[in-house]
Amino acid sequence: MKFMTDYLEQAQQQALYREVTTLEPVDAVHVRSDSRVYLNLASNNYLGLTHCPIVQQAASHAALTYGTGSGGARLITGNHAYYTKLEHELAAFKQTEGTVVFSTGYMANIGAISGLATQADVIFSDELNHASLIDGCRLAKARIVVYRHCDISHLAELMNTTPCQGNRMIITDGVFSMDGDIAPLPDLVKLAEQYKAILIVDDAHATGVIGPGGRGTTAHFGLEGKVQVQLGTLSKALGSEGGFVAGSRILIDYLINRARSFIFTTALSPATVAASCAALTRLKAQPALVATLQANALFTRQCLTKAGFAISQGITPIIPIPVGSAKLALAMAAELKSQGLLLSAIRPPTVQPGTSRLRLAVSAAHDQAELADAVCKITAVAQRFDIL
Ligand SMILES: *Cc1c(COP(=O)(O)O)cnc(C)c1O
């Protein structure tokens, strides 16, 4: 047991120790803990759809009709009717020939990458890609070449100098999960075409967030048909659970046959998949939700900039406030919590040492008065901790 206690003690000393806290959601953007209500600025519930009555009713109706669990893997007996509906509607939403739904975004990513890449292949991966993409690369037996964050000339140089017997693949987050910036997709598409590489884009934080109707990064840049593998999650803006891959029919059929995280796991429950269907229907019927989200993100970025923070402008709802040390990030998050704000202190190994940050995640369900008040509190705390 000593290696474990050693590890945990060291993590605690370095302010890297992690533990789960129990929260009771009050609505899409407020949570209760120890009988106190907090404004949630740490959730990926970008459109507030977790508490949309239509979505909630769809989930409870599905549980009452089909039962609580799917009872089996999708290729055995777990593929209930909501799956067919969801994959059909997701394909229409993404404007691709097909989609396949996995049990989580993490599983979609590791299954798709390890299913696609073989020993002869080379994967070019952005250094700030999400852990699930990194783990997918690790599971694949391909060679992995990491390029500097969003640095197209570095990527071009590496593609030029790295020999490859098999397929080349470029893998990137669409919207980066800890920085909130958008991948330079037009340039990545050009490079991919030049080297006949397969482009894989993870739109976990872009689905329901950017692009017309919230259709993601590919649609945002008008590059429909140019990105071979689009990954996404149903657990963030869509307020449910599950991950998906969107692309050609052949890609989908291939992954159904090859992705181990698709094959060897129990299908999602009817309630979960029905909630995703209803959320997607809601989003299609109410694209203004995306505009509200983007307006709230822009508003918050402007308030922070006015307060003196060095914040890049943009429309994504992920807003990092650079702090530096893990200890400081943790202390500031604790102080803000005591003032009723829930923000995440992002520390290594999620980000590089020395780049710890407070991460604000804005939702369409926030109201701007609450956001402005939160920025005031953050500003006062930042001044007290000497980072402003
Ligand atoms: C959250 C996230 C995932 C994982 O999705 P889950 O549905 O939570 O498993 C994958 N990629 C990125 C970029 C993410 O932020």
Side-chain angles (χ1 to χ4, degrees):
M1 292 292 154
K2 189 166 180 309
F3 75 98
M4 292 189 241
T5 49
D6 285 354
Y7 177 86
L8 293 173
E9 268 165 28
Q10 202 188 355
Q12 227 142 12
Q13 277 162 15
Q14 297 174 346
L16 300 179
Y17 187 78
R18 294 162 184 233
E19 59 193 330
V20 290
T21 51
T22 305
L23 301 170
E24 190 189 332
V26 176
D27 58 28
V29 291
H30 296 90
V31 292
R32 194 179 289 114
S33 172
D34 297 329
S35 70
R36 187 165 172 197
V37 173
Y38 297 88
L39 181 66
N40 191 352
L41 291 164
S43 161
N44 302 314
N45 186 12
Y46 296 123
L47 300 175
L49 289 173
T50 51
H51 289 70
C52 169
I54 293 168
V55 178
Q56 291 174 296
Q57 275 157 22
S60 57
H61 176 76
L64 292 171
T65 315
Y66 284 176
T68 48
S70 72
R74 289 195 61 191
L75 290 170
I76 313 293
T77 57
N79 195 49
H80 48 80
Y82 289 110
Y83 267 115
T84 320
K85 184 169 152 61
L86 177 60
E87 285 173 348
H88 186 76
E89 287 175 4
L90 263 179
F93 177 69
K94 295 296 292 182
Q95 302 179 342
T96 55
E97 284 177 16
T99 60
V100 55
V101 170
F102 289 66
S103 292
T104 66
Y106 181 91
M107 290 167 77
N109 291 0
I110 60 168
I113 298 169
S114 63
L116 286 168
T118 65
Q119 212 148 18
D121 302 337
V122 180
I123 300 174
F124 298 89
S125 172
D126 188 291
E127 67 178 336
L128 294 190
N129 276 348
H130 188 258
S132 57
L133 298 176
I134 295 170
D135 292 356
C137 291
R138 287 178 180 162
L139 271 178
K141 301 203 167 54
R143 175 165 177 199
I144 301 154
V145 177
V146 176
Y147 62 91
R148 285 194 292 271
H149 179 53
C150 291
D151 187 336
I152 291 297
S153 44
H154 189 220
L155 173 60
E157 181 193 319
L158 291 169
M159 291 189 82
N160 186 34
T161 53
T162 310
C164 177
Q165 312 284 307
N167 295 311
R168 291 183 172 83
M169 300 181 195
I170 303 173
I171 301 190
T172 182
D173 279 21
V175 169
F176 284 85
S177 53
M178 296 302 141
D179 291 76
D181 53 340
I182 302 174
L185 222 51
D187 293 331
L188 291 173
V189 164
K190 263 189 230 152
L191 263 188
E193 284 176 349
Q194 190 184 334
Y195 286 91
K196 296 193 172 32
I198 298 172
L199 183 54
I200 303 176
V201 177
D202 178 2
D203 263 354
H205 293 281
T207 307
V209 173
I210 65 168
R215 293 205 312 275
T217 323
T218 303
H220 172 76
F221 287 110
L223 293 167
E224 287 88 347
K226 306 270 188 192
V227 177
Q228 291 86 352
V229 184
Q230 296 187 61
L231 306 164
T233 182
L234 302 157
S235 67
K236 287 171 179 156
L238 291 169
S240 179
E241 279 170 357
F244 65 88
V245 181
S248 68
R249 193 63 246 167
I250 297 204
L251 169 74
I252 303 310
D253 292 341
Y254 178 83
L255 290 177
I256 288 171
N257 282 274
R258 294 284 290 171
R260 294 169 64 83
S261 61
F262 174 84
I263 300 168
F264 298 107
T265 194
T266 297
L268 289 164
S269 73
T272 303
V273 184
S276 297
C277 285
L280 202 55
T281 304
R282 189 86 197 124
L283 175 58
K284 282 179 186 169
Q286 208 182 347
L289 272 176
V290 179
T292 305
L293 171 63
Q294 293 181 357
N296 281 354
L298 194 64
F299 174 78
T300 308
R301 285 173 191 269
Q302 282 166 347
C303 289
L304 286 163
T305 304
K306 236 181 274 166
F309 290 96
I311 301 288
S312 61
Q313 292 312 303
I315 52 166
T316 77
I318 299 167
I319 311 174
I321 298 175
V323 170
S325 86
K327 277 200 177 80
L328 198 53
L330 213 55
M332 286 179 69
E335 175 58 30
L336 288 164
K337 187 170 179 199
S338 78
Q339 299 187 24
L341 298 183
L342 221 56
L343 263 86
S344 33
I346 306 289
R347 296 161 287 155
T350 308
V351 294
Q352 290 295 314
T355 70
S356 291
R357 64 202 67 179
L358 295 173
R359 177 180 181 274
L360 252 95
V362 175
S363 170
H366 284 127
D367 90 35
Q368 292 196 350
E370 270 180 324
L371 290 170
D373 178 60
V375 171
C376 287
K377 288 177 173 157
I378 294 166
T379 306
V381 169
Q383 281 164 344
R384 261 200 24 229
F385 281 78
D386 252 355
I387 67 147
L388 195 65

